Amino acid sequence: MKDVAEFFGWLTVAFYTLALFNFLMKAVNKKYPLKIKENKKFEEIYKTVMKYIIRYHKLIGIIAAIGLTVHSSIMYFNVGLRITGLIAASLMVLDALIGIYGYLSKKKRTDPLFDVHRVIAFVLPLAIAVHLLFK
């Protein structure tokens, strides 16, 4: 059962990383548009990947949340509560809730919660790394 939990933990990390690419790809596209356009083949691939990452950001986040729920449930009932896991999971849930709120309320990207959503997204890898190191 622990192997299943570990699989869902890594699935969560993989889909969370894909969700994070939403910001990273947009930032690179905004900061280096001329560099991207220098190589037409690269530009074509980059734009295609970016289109799918942006389009499916919410779905990717939902899959990460499902993976987190399964991973957390299995680990809690088989191993018990790990404070590092609780912190990482809480950050991910908070980030998801802020994202859902922003989407449903149609808030503008100038809303301070949008910045909080991004900050949590970049703090979360540290929390996950601590969880993996000190589980």
Side-chain angles (χ1 to χ4, degrees):
M1 200 58 150
K2 197 171 179 183
D3 290 340
V4 174
E6 191 172 308
F7 168 77
F8 278 100
W10 285 111
L11 181 82
T12 302
V13 169
F15 277 88
Y16 163 74
T17 302
L18 278 175
L20 190 60
F21 270 99
N22 184 55
F23 169 76
L24 296 173
M25 292 192 82
K26 286 179 182 178
V28 168
N29 190 53
K30 186 175 183 178
K31 188 157 179 127
Y32 303 105
L34 297 178
K35 288 280 187 194
I36 292 171
K37 290 180 186 207
E38 282 178 4
N39 183 332
K40 289 294 178 192
K41 186 69 176 164
F42 176 77
E43 178 187 24
E44 182 182 315
I45 293 168
Y46 190 86
K47 296 282 184 174
T48 301
V49 171
M50 188 169 85
K51 180 176 74 173
Y52 285 104
I53 293 289
I54 291 168
R55 180 181 296 161
Y56 295 112
H57 178 72
K58 292 169 206 70
L59 178 61
I60 290 167
I62 289 167
I63 294 169
I66 291 168
L68 174 67
T69 303
V70 173
H71 171 74
S72 301
S73 299
I74 293 171
M75 292 306 289
Y76 178 75
F77 289 113
N78 288 289
V79 178
L81 181 66
R82 304 277 193 219
I83 192 68
T84 58
L86 179 63
I87 292 168
S90 298
L91 283 172
M92 188 177 277
V93 168
L94 178 61
D95 202 32
L97 291 174
I98 292 170
I100 291 166
Y101 169 76
Y103 173 73
L104 293 177
S105 66
K106 305 292 185 209
K107 291 285 184 177
K108 301 288 184 222
R109 291 174 192 236
T110 55
D111 187 288
L113 278 180
F114 187 73
D115 293 331
V116 173
H117 181 64
R118 284 183 170 173
V119 168
I120 292 172
F122 281 96
V123 170
L124 188 54
L126 178 62
I128 292 170
V130 168
H131 173 58
L132 289 171
L133 290 172
F134 299 105
K135 58 184 175 176

